[in-house]
Amino acid sequence: MSKIKYVKPIAELQGDEMTRILWDWIKEILLEPHVELNTEYYDLGLIHRDETDDLVTKEAGEAVKRLGVGVKCATITPNNQRKEEYNLKRLYPSPNGTIRAILDGTVFRTPILVKGITPYIPTWTKPITIARHAYGDVYKATDVRIDGAAKAELLVTHADGSTEKYPVHDFAGAGVLQGMHNTDKSITAFARSCFNFALASNMDLWLGTKDTISKIYDGRFKAIFADVYEKEFREKYEKAGIGYEYTLIDDCVARVVRSSGGMVWACKNYDGDVMSDMLATAFGSLAMMSSVLVSPDGNFEYEAAHGTVTRHYYKYRAGEETSTNPVATIFAWSGALAKRGESENNAELVKFASELERATIATIESGYMTGDLACIFKADGITPKKLNSRDFLKAIASNL
Ligand code: NAP
Ligand code: MG
C-alpha cells in the first residue's frame, strides 16, 4: 500500500515528559504506517529550549505562522523546582504564551464525546466549545512585588509625548501590583473568530465578562463584540436561526451548568484557561478535549489541552507501565493533517484524519481504553478493559 503524501510541511512542535513519549508512539503506530509525514521539526523539550536560550520556541511560533498549520505536544512551563530539576540557565516563560503572542487569536476547545462516558452534568448532551482569547491580560502582564510603603500610579505616555497618570494604590506596607493590557485589534479579531466559528458549527455564541466591576477593560470586550455582531453577523445569525448573547461571567457559569450544552462560550484568556479544565473534567477527562489555536490571519495550531502528565512520566522512567490517555494528542495530529489536507484539496489525507478519529472513538466505545476512562465507562454488556498506552494505540491501529 502506498503512503498518503502532501506537499507543504506541517510545523511539528515536540514537547516534554509523558506526552513526548506518547508523541513518538502515535507517529510510529498510527501515522507513519499510512502517511508520509512531511514536517518542519522543532524540539520544544525543556532541555533543548535551555540549549537555545528559548530561541527555538520563537522559531517554532514563526514556523506555524509561515506554514499555516502546526501541531504541538504539551510542554513544561518551568517553575523554580523545574529550574533545579533540569539545571536551567533561567526561568523561561510559558511556550504556549510565547507562541500565542506570535500568532494572536483564539483557542477553541471542544470535548470529544464517546458513548459510555456520561458527563458529570448529565443534562450536557451536546458539546460545549470554549473559545479562549489567546492574547494579553494576566498572561502578558507586569507583575510587581511592593516591599514596603509606596505610592503606585499608572503612567501613560502618548505617541505625541503627552502623559496621563492614574492612581492605583497608596501602599501602607508590602503588597503586590500588576499592570496588564489588551488591544482593540486583538479583541476584534477574537470577536470575529468566535462569531465565525459559532456560525460554522451552527451553535449559539455566549460571551461572559465582569463588566460591572471592570467597566472599561471588560466593558471593551462587551462593546467590541456587540459592534462586530451588529455590523457583520446579525443578519447571518438570524438566517441560521442561532443567537448571540452577552451575560455577566458569573451568570454565564450558572447558566452553562443548567443548560443542555451546544453553545460556543467565548471567554477572556484567564477565564478560558480555568473553565476549559472544568469543562474537560466534567465531560470525562482532561485527555478527552480537542484544542486548536486559530489566528486572525488564518493559521492553525493544534494541541492537547492537558499538560505533560508528570506523575505518569516518573513511573515510566522507573520502568513501570503507564496507562496515559493519548486521545487529545491523537486529535491534535488528526486536526493538523485534516487542515493540511483541506488546504491542498487532498481528499485522501482528510479522509485519513477522520478515519483516525473514528477508529479512536470506536476503540473506546468497544470497551478498550486507558485507566482514566475505564473507571468511569458504563455501557450495557461491555466491561471496560484498561490498556497501557502502547496497547491502546495498537488497538486503535487495528481498528484503523
Ligand atoms: P497535567 O499534566 O495535565 O496532569 C494532571 C493530572 O491529570 C495527571 O497527573 C493525571 O492524573 C491527569 N491527566 C492529565 N492528562 C492525562 C492523560 N493524558 N491521561 C491520563 N491522565 C491525565 O497537569 P500538571 O501535572 O499540573 O502539569 C504537568 C506539567 O505540564 C507542568 O510542568 C505544566 O507546566 C505543564 N502543562 C503544560 C500544558 C501545555 O503545554 N498545554 C498545559 C498544562 C500544564 P493522575 O495522576 O491522577 O492519573
Ligand atoms: Mg490550563
Side-chain angles (χ1 to χ4, degrees), residues 72 74-77 82 96 287 306-312 325:
K72 180 182 171 291
T75 46
I76 293 170
T77 297
R82 297 294 201 166
N96 289 323
H306 59 75
T308 58
V309 214
T310 310
R311 220 174 58 83
H312 295 211
N325 188 335

Side-chain angles (χ1 to χ4, degrees), residues 31-207:
L31 306 178
E32 280 161 353
H34 305 280
V35 181
E36 200 160 302
L37 288 180
N38 175 12
T39 70
E40 242 181 56
Y41 181 85
Y42 295 86
D43 182 0
L44 301 197
L46 193 47
I47 297 168
H48 192 238
R49 272 184 276 154
D50 194 42
E51 283 166 1
T52 62
D53 278 312
D54 209 23
L55 198 66
V56 66
T57 311
K58 211 176 137 249
E59 287 171 353
E62 280 156 5
V64 177
K65 209 173 169 141
R66 177 165 41 80
L67 299 171
V69 182
V71 54
K72 180 182 171 291
C73 178
T75 46
I76 293 170
T77 297
N79 53 17
N80 281 318
Q81 182 226 323
R82 297 294 201 166
K83 190 166 173 249
E84 264 176 45
E85 182 184 350
Y86 282 82
N87 196 18
L88 300 178
K89 288 184 256 178
R90 60 186 175 91
L91 269 186
Y92 300 99
S94 149
N96 289 323
T98 303
I99 294 168
R100 286 172 198 157
I102 293 170
L103 293 174
D104 200 344
T106 307
V107 179
F108 293 96
R109 291 192 170 155
T110 308
I112 300 160
L113 303 186
V114 298
K115 285 191 209 92
I117 294 174
T118 312
Y120 285 93
I121 297 179
T123 51
W124 284 357
T125 50
K126 292 173 267 180
I128 298 169
T129 295
I130 289 256
R132 172 182 172 189
H133 187 204
Y135 178 83
D137 302 351
V138 288
Y139 301 85
K140 223 173 162 26
T142 305
D143 249 0
V144 183
R145 169 84 174 114
I146 305 287
D147 58 7
K151 182 185 173 78
E153 293 169 308
L154 266 179
L155 172 71
V156 180
T157 308
H158 295 283
D160 66 3
S162 63
T163 59
E164 280 170 76
K165 221 183 251 179
Y166 300 92
V168 176
H169 190 64
D170 278 324
F171 286 90
V176 284
L177 174 70
Q178 187 171 64
M180 64 177 188
H181 79 282
N182 224 299
T183 65
D184 280 13
K185 186 173 172 226
S186 178
I187 301 168
T188 307
F190 171 47
R192 273 203 192 105
S193 59
C194 291
F195 282 116
N196 275 321
F197 188 94
L199 186 63
S201 357
N202 205 39
M203 295 200 275
D204 290 340
L205 179 69
W206 294 12
L207 167 70

Side-chain angles (χ1 to χ4, degrees), residues 109 132 273-274 276-277 305:
R109 291 192 170 155
R132 172 182 172 189
D273 187 350
V274 178
S276 67
D277 277 28

